[in-house]
Amino acid sequence: MLTFKKILVPLDGSALSEKALPPALSLARQYDGQIILIRSEDFPSIILGMGEPEVGYWVVDAEAQMHKEVQSYLAAKADELRQQGYHVDTLQGRESPATEIIDAAKREKVDLIVMSTHGRGGVARWALGSVTDRVARHAPCPVLLVREFEE
């Protein structure tokens, strides 16, 4: 029998990504499980302006600002959910989102990943790439996808 004691929920700060929270929270409540929120900083490591120190400083400052923003976002979401009675942990990474999610699922031995998706297919998915597609194909556990529906 499947039990979902550890549920990983990838977030990116968008309303779409947060649509994964209601089903994840419902399962966590049903199985007395733990929610693990994860967000990747995904700051592209681009070397710009070789020999121009001000550009290098800008990149370092932007990375530091993103790190703080991601940390603050995760802390606020976790606090909100803890106040509702959920056991919540957070993870923050610097790799690509798909890599971070898959690696965290393995490392934390999660039972389920719950994540949202635009539901794009065909050329749109190929052209844009798909974190969801990569996670669904390579995750070490079941993946529950929450689709965005037009109202």
Side-chain angles (χ1 to χ4, degrees):
M1 182 171 133
L2 286 176
T3 60
F4 303 114
K5 291 292 198 180
K6 281 185 148 182
I7 302 170
L8 184 66
V9 182
L11 300 174
D12 64 9
S14 70
L16 173 63
S17 71
E18 292 179 9
K19 289 182 184 239
L21 285 169
L25 297 173
S26 178
L27 289 165
R29 187 153 323 272
Q30 181 177 348
Y31 290 99
D32 192 29
Q34 168 191 11
I35 295 288
I36 303 171
L37 304 177
I38 185 170
R39 183 169 174 192
S40 175
E41 294 171 25
D42 195 26
F43 191 86
S45 297
I46 301 171
I47 299 174
L48 299 169
M50 296 289 284
E52 296 180 36
E54 64 275 359
V55 174
Y57 294 132
W58 177 84
V59 171
V60 170
D61 287 345
E63 285 179 323
Q65 182 61 34
M66 177 168 280
H67 179 79
K68 286 180 189 175
E69 187 273 325
V70 169
Q71 193 171 40
S72 177
Y73 171 80
L74 286 172
K77 275 291 162 209
D79 287 345
E80 177 186 323
L81 298 176
R82 286 181 189 121
Q83 289 176 8
Q84 296 173 31
Y86 294 99
H87 179 90
V88 182
D89 287 321
T90 62
L91 297 172
Q92 184 171 344
R94 291 184 163 232
E95 299 295 324
S96 72
T99 299
E100 287 293 343
I101 294 163
I102 293 164
D103 289 351
K106 291 175 184 174
R107 185 177 60 251
E108 300 294 323
K109 297 179 175 63
V110 301
D111 301 308
L112 178 69
I113 299 170
V114 180
M115 61 190 300
S116 62
T117 179
H118 287 283
R120 291 187 185 110
V123 175
R125 186 179 72 202
W126 175 80
L128 297 172
S130 175
V131 171
T132 305
D133 185 58
R134 185 160 169 230
V135 170
R137 291 178 188 273
H138 300 287
C141 61
V143 179
L144 173 62
L145 301 178
V146 179
R147 275 195 64 179
E148 176 184 44
F149 292 101
E150 292 185 25
E151 301 196 14

